[in-house]
Amino acid sequence: MVLQDRAKATREAIIAGAALVFEEHGFGTASISLVAEAAKVTKGAMYFHFKSKDELARAVLEEQHAVTMAAGERILAEKSPALETMIRLCGAFGELLAADGVVRAGIRLTLEASAFDQDVRRPYEDWMATMGRLAEQAIVEGHVRSSVDPEFLSRYIVASFTGVQMVSNVLTGREDVIERIRQMWEILLPGIIHESSGLDPEALAALVAETTVVARRAVGAGA
């Protein structure tokens, strides 16, 4: 059991070190030596757990997906109205991007996936499926117009979020990512809210900033 615990801790340290290296250097210029140094392990320990840089990248992507899914499950478990849940999911992901190096590294690797022949569609497909189901529920709840296509809306939200966080990263290192996500929803909501719902777009958009505690709990759980 002690050996298993030690091996698990070593593997986690390697993934955390790999995330630091991939986030800073990208896949192309990252090296096993840099990862071993960042993780504070020997190359022998590194190769015991991961045979190649490709395997390391895949492990970081898998961990990123696990962390974001865990944060999403916490929010979904609260059973809030569907439209509120959609907004808070975006806020939680934004907070993870600001606070969690594994998530940031995973996003960078997603953009470079062709370099190591990795299929990165699953996280996006999972997120769009979740948003699509929530959009359908929001229509039933009378908060989103029935004329809105849930599939189209889910794709638009995921694409918009992706663009917003990328521009935030380029301009401010994601320091303003939560505010930019809030603005995204403030622009989007008037076009989809049911006219008889009585919902306030500004108040709803502000929910983006109320998810930070949930997201930080998810970061702590994955540490």
Side-chain angles (χ1 to χ4, degrees):
M1 182 63 73
V2 173
L3 289 175
Q4 288 179 345
D5 290 344
R6 188 178 301 167
K8 182 174 182 289
T10 299
R11 189 178 191 279
E12 290 173 351
I14 293 170
I15 291 174
L20 288 172
V21 173
F22 286 135
E23 180 189 0
E24 181 177 355
H25 297 280
F27 181 83
T29 57
S31 69
I32 293 294
S33 296
L34 284 173
V35 174
E37 182 180 346
K40 296 181 172 57
V41 300
T42 65
K43 284 188 179 180
M46 177 84 66
Y47 283 116
F48 176 80
H49 290 277
F50 300 100
K51 304 305 181 188
S52 67
K53 189 168 70 170
D54 288 37
E55 283 191 16
L56 275 170
R58 283 191 285 271
V60 171
L61 283 166
E62 289 170 2
E63 183 67 14
Q64 177 243 314
H65 188 46
V67 169
T68 54
M69 289 294 287
E73 287 167 3
R74 285 179 173 85
I75 292 173
L76 290 166
E78 295 180 7
K79 305 295 185 182
S80 299
L83 183 56
E84 292 184 15
T85 300
M86 295 168 75
I87 295 166
R88 295 180 66 227
L89 284 171
C90 288
F93 195 8
E95 178 65 15
L96 288 172
L97 282 166
D100 191 303
V102 170
V103 174
R104 292 192 299 272
I107 294 302
R108 177 161 185 175
L109 286 170
T110 297
L111 300 176
E112 301 175 357
S114 60
F116 54 103
D117 193 28
Q118 176 69 19
D119 186 347
V120 295
R121 291 176 296 179
R122 182 188 165 200
Y124 289 97
E125 289 171 347
D126 287 349
W127 193 15
M128 286 188 292
T130 297
M131 285 296 193
R133 289 193 296 271
L134 288 168
E136 291 177 354
Q137 185 180 337
I139 292 171
V140 172
E141 291 171 351
H143 294 164
V144 169
R145 297 174 184 173
S146 59
S147 59
V148 173
D149 186 302
E151 182 180 353
F152 292 173
L153 179 59
S154 68
R155 285 179 174 272
Y156 184 80
I157 291 170
V158 172
S160 297
F161 179 96
T162 301
V164 164
Q165 67 85 14
M166 286 177 62
V167 173
S168 173
N169 183 41
V170 170
L171 297 180
T172 70
R174 296 195 180 93
E175 289 183 5
D176 67 348
V177 69
I178 296 298
E179 175 62 13
R180 299 310 171 205
I181 297 169
R182 184 194 65 78
Q183 291 173 348
M184 177 193 87
W185 276 102
E186 198 167 298
I187 292 169
L188 172 62
L189 285 167
I192 65 171
I193 288 177
H194 197 288
E195 54 274 13
S196 64
S197 67
L199 296 174
D200 178 2
E202 287 189 25
L204 278 175
L207 292 173
V208 165
E210 295 180 10
T211 60
T212 56
V213 173
V214 173
R216 285 173 185 154
R217 282 205 298 270
V219 172

